[in-house]
Amino acid sequence: MATTPKKAEGPTGFVYGPLIAGWLVPGAGHLLQRKWGRGALLLLSIGSMFFLGLAMQGKIYSGAHDILDLLGMAGDLGNGVFFFLSRIAGWGADSIQVTSADYGTRFIVVAGLLNIMAAVDAHNLATGRKR
Amino acid sequence: MNFQPSHFTAVLIFALFASVVFGITMRNTPQKMLRYGAWCFTLFAGSAIVVSWAMFLIAR
């Protein structure tokens, strides 16, 4: 007698939850899936990078005046809640005046890009594409 | 708070945090994550040192 093959177990629930949570708060997508160590390390790394960038007088991009500003803002937006908090509270320098402020601006942009990578990784965990 | 690191210190901090995220997102097991993260950190810091020396020698 022929037996029907078992279907591979697919993702259950709303698979975009970890992606959105991971974008809003660094590491939250992993924490939601009980990946405590990974989530904590991501929060520590991305959060430290963002706040060290602010401490270096880094600039938060507020508007897209030209294509470079647009790219910088896209990177900054990756920081999720940190970006919105800094816009509301007025954190970050308005213009770059010292050398370390330039490093700080890059730190903030790269923290956002790394957070997007982390959020996509959380989504891959939720869909079962990654263990 | 005002933090003004040297260029090399900034490179090391950047390399550390970026390597942690690369390790976690690009590999599946903790051991492979650690190895890949250490490899990325070495490449970040090592390439900064090599390029710095190259620029120093070109500028002479």
Side-chain angles (χ1 to χ4, degrees):
Chain A
M1 197 167 81
T3 55
T4 52
K6 268 189 178 177
K7 271 189 177 176
E9 204 170 303
T12 54
F14 183 56
V15 290
Y16 295 104
L19 179 73
I20 295 167
W23 167 59
L24 285 174
V25 180
H30 289 77
L31 293 173
L32 274 179
Q33 297 174 84
R34 300 179 182 280
K35 301 281 182 189
W36 306 115
R38 294 185 205 184
L41 275 172
L42 288 171
L43 178 60
L44 185 74
S45 300
I46 295 167
S48 300
M49 210 161 174
F50 179 83
F51 286 105
L52 280 176
L54 283 181
M56 289 183 218
Q57 315 296 317
K59 175 184 165 185
I60 299 276
Y61 288 95
S62 54
H65 305 297
D66 58 48
I67 187 71
L68 288 178
D69 278 0
L70 186 69
L71 291 172
M73 194 169 169
D76 280 2
L77 266 170
N79 285 299
V81 162
F82 291 163
F83 173 76
F84 299 118
L85 267 180
S86 59
R87 292 285 297 126
I88 292 165
W91 296 340
D94 294 327
S95 60
I96 298 168
Q97 291 179 344
V98 287
T99 315
S100 61
D102 197 27
Y103 309 155
T105 305
R106 305 297 156 238
F107 266 53
I108 294 168
V109 171
V110 173
L113 297 175
L114 290 173
N115 192 37
I116 291 170
M117 281 177 65
V120 170
D121 187 58
H123 176 65
N124 286 339
L125 285 169
T127 56
R129 203 176 296 162
K130 191 186 173 193
R131 279 177 291 123
Chain B
M1 189 182 156
N2 194 358
F3 178 54
Q4 295 200 334
S6 70
H7 195 178
F8 189 61
T9 308
V11 164
L12 292 182
I13 296 169
F14 181 98
L16 177 70
F17 294 139
S19 301
V20 169
V21 178
F22 280 9
I24 291 172
T25 56
M26 300 288 177
R27 292 294 182 268
N28 286 325
T29 61
Q31 195 184 0
K32 284 181 180 170
M33 287 175 187
L34 193 66
R35 284 178 63 182
Y36 187 70
W39 173 239
C40 287
F41 180 82
T42 308
L43 284 183
F44 271 127
S47 58
I49 293 168
V50 169
V51 171
S52 304
W53 272 104
M55 286 193 289
F56 171 74
L57 293 172
I58 289 167
R60 285 182 74 185

